[in-house]
Amino acid sequence: MTPHAFRQSPVPTGRPSFSFEFFPPKTEAGDRALWRLIRRVESLSPAFVSVTYGAGGSSRDRTVELTRRIAAETTLRPVAHLTAVGHSVTELRHIIGTYADAGVRDVLVLRGDPPGGPDKPWIPHPAGLRHAHELVSLVRRSGAFSVGVAAFPEKHPRSPDWDSDIRHFVAKCRAGAHYAITQMFFDAEHYLRLRDRVRAAGCDIPIIPEIMPATDAAQIRRFAELSGASFPQGLARRLEAARGRPADGLRIGVEHATAMAERLLAEGAPGLHYITLNRPSAALAVHANVTGIRNAPGTPAVQEYPCPPSPSRPSAARPRIPVTTGAAHGSP
């Protein structure tokens, strides 16, 4: 019997899902703030939440611990990031086993950026793996795991061309990936072109678009440079004009992300994966706009989040998008 029979993908079928990304804090204050956010997200019953790993595996221990706590102390289904960079196969097997012992059976597999940043040379560990599809195979052979992988709407920065990029993606599908989550992007057309290329290559796993509300021009430019994502000039100009006015930057970022998210769902995207940066305002505001869900019963109101209507249609005409209630973290 294959691992598929033991662990279903956290991405449901039939209607859009939503999910959120956190990173392991480095301070006690950051940890307290994150857990306040985790409890608010829990009240929304997302399909899953993911925990990032850090460049070069730098946050490995914190990632494992945070993912373990989410699995043990909440009803959320945590997806742990796992990167190949800097690890031997023996070390990777140990990390996979640590996740399994903690009750975490969902892993997002990435080759990973080298220490120092994505522009540095990628040097494989002498006893490690060279490609993400090899790590997918390793996790699938290690037990009953669901496995997600990365997708790149503007192709991977190290890919010489689109044909090469799609070949690498299809290799991850054939190695046993259940679904993919994209790198950040700011134009829905990039996602739609990627999806069409992947389908034409014979791979039909769900590809979830990642939503990164752009609220600060300088910060987003740094992220975009690191990831290879293009930053629309019109959005950049609006954010530059709002420099020094955080509330205006938040409004602009939420408006843009809401419009893009609605377009993606209308075009058949299987869900939305929100980057939170461990802060609630932008991600929860976009989610509220898209789903119409402002507050879960018994939780504090989300009144401080500006949730303007999409510029594409007035709020009264916006359809309610059906959302999928996330399965409990112990579900098969």
Side-chain angles (χ1 to χ4, degrees), residues 3 19 26 40 45 51 67 104 107 146 157 160 187 209 265 310 319 331:
S19 52
K26 296 181 180 180
R40 300 187 86 160
S45 299
V51 181
T67 309
V104 177
V107 180
S146 79
D187 184 337
L265 291 174
S310 165
S331 62

Side-chain angles (χ1 to χ4, degrees), residues 11-18 47 265-266 268-272 290-291 321-325:
V11 183
T13 58
R15 57 175 58 186
S17 67
F18 60 92
L265 291 174
L272 304 170
V290 171
T291 65
I321 304 295
V323 294
T324 298
T325 298

Side-chain angles (χ1 to χ4, degrees), residues 15 22 29 47 79 102 129 166 169 171 173 180 209 235 237 250 261 282 310 325 332:
R15 57 175 58 186
F22 310 128
V79 173
L129 304 174
I166 297 301
F169 185 84
C173 298
L235 177 58
R237 284 193 295 270
L250 179 61
S310 165
T325 298

Side-chain angles (χ1 to χ4, degrees), residues 193-320:
R193 283 193 289 266
L194 168 69
R195 183 189 63 183
D196 291 347
R197 287 184 171 109
V198 169
R199 296 293 180 267
C203 178
D204 61 357
I205 67 172
I207 302 175
I208 305 171
E210 188 172 70
I211 304 299
M212 172 72 168
T215 62
D216 179 271
Q219 180 189 57
I220 295 299
R221 277 207 175 94
R222 288 195 300 273
F223 289 159
E225 288 171 2
L226 291 173
S227 67
S230 57
F231 192 29
Q233 287 303 308
L235 177 58
R237 284 193 295 270
R238 293 180 68 200
L239 288 173
E240 288 288 356
R243 184 187 294 273
R245 303 195 305 276
D248 288 343
L250 179 61
R251 174 183 55 79
I252 292 165
V254 167
E255 286 178 353
H256 179 271
T258 296
M260 187 174 77
E262 290 182 336
R263 165 83 189 283
L264 292 166
L265 291 174
E267 293 281 357
L272 304 170
H273 187 64
Y274 301 105
I275 299 179
T276 69
L277 298 180
N278 290 7
R279 297 193 293 268
S281 298
L284 291 188
V286 174
H287 178 66
N289 285 346
V290 171
T291 65
I293 298 175
R294 292 289 187 259
N295 311 304
T299 62
V302 191
Q303 294 174 348
E304 70 270 30
Y305 306 144
C307 300
S310 165
S312 63
R313 64 174 74 90
S315 58
R318 184 183 297 117
R320 184 185 178 92

Side-chain angles (χ1 to χ4, degrees), residues 3 89 93 129 134-145:
V89 171
R93 288 197 178 106
L129 304 174
E134 297 172 318
L135 186 51
V136 173
S137 296
L138 178 63
V139 175
R140 291 300 307 274
R141 293 195 306 268
S142 298
F145 289 91

Side-chain angles (χ1 to χ4, degrees), residues 5-206:
F6 295 103
R7 188 63 172 173
Q8 295 176 351
S9 166
V11 183
T13 58
R15 57 175 58 186
S17 67
F18 60 92
S19 52
F20 295 83
E21 178 183 290
F22 310 128
F23 67 85
K26 296 181 180 180
T27 67
E28 290 185 8
D31 188 67
R32 289 192 297 270
L34 173 59
W35 275 94
R36 287 193 294 270
L37 173 59
I38 287 172
R39 293 305 181 186
R40 300 187 86 160
V41 167
E42 184 179 20
S43 72
L44 298 171
S45 299
F48 64 93
V49 297
S50 70
V51 181
T52 64
Y53 202 69
S58 57
S59 68
R60 182 185 74 179
D61 293 341
R62 297 196 305 276
T63 297
V64 172
E65 175 59 15
L66 177 57
T67 309
R68 181 199 66 77
R69 284 193 63 192
I70 292 173
E73 300 176 22
T74 77
T75 58
L76 294 167
R77 181 170 178 170
V79 173
H81 289 212
L82 177 63
T83 64
V85 64
H87 295 311
S88 68
V89 171
T90 299
E91 289 170 334
L92 290 168
R93 288 197 178 106
H94 173 73
I95 298 167
I96 295 166
T98 301
Y99 283 141
D101 291 343
V104 177
R105 291 285 181 165
D106 301 285
V107 180
L108 183 66
V109 163
L110 311 158
R111 191 177 78 160
D113 293 329
D119 57 335
K120 303 299 181 184
W122 199 92
I123 302 173
H125 190 286
L129 304 174
R130 298 184 63 88
H131 300 289
H133 71 83
E134 297 172 318
L135 186 51
V136 173
S137 296
L138 178 63
V139 175
R140 291 300 307 274
R141 293 195 306 268
S142 298
F145 289 91
S146 79
V147 181
V149 294
F152 299 87
E154 298 178 73
K155 79 177 177 59
H156 193 284
R158 295 178 187 268
S159 291
D161 52 54
W162 269 110
D163 287 345
S164 173
D165 195 82
I166 297 301
R167 281 198 304 273
H168 282 293
F169 185 84
V170 170
K172 293 186 286 190
C173 298
R174 291 175 176 166
H178 295 91
Y179 65 97
I181 299 175
T182 72
Q183 180 64 270
M184 73 176 70
F185 61 97
F186 301 98
D187 184 337
E189 291 298 328
H190 295 312
Y191 169 87
L192 298 173
R193 283 193 289 266
L194 168 69
R195 183 189 63 183
D196 291 347
R197 287 184 171 109
V198 169
R199 296 293 180 267
C203 178
D204 61 357
I205 67 172

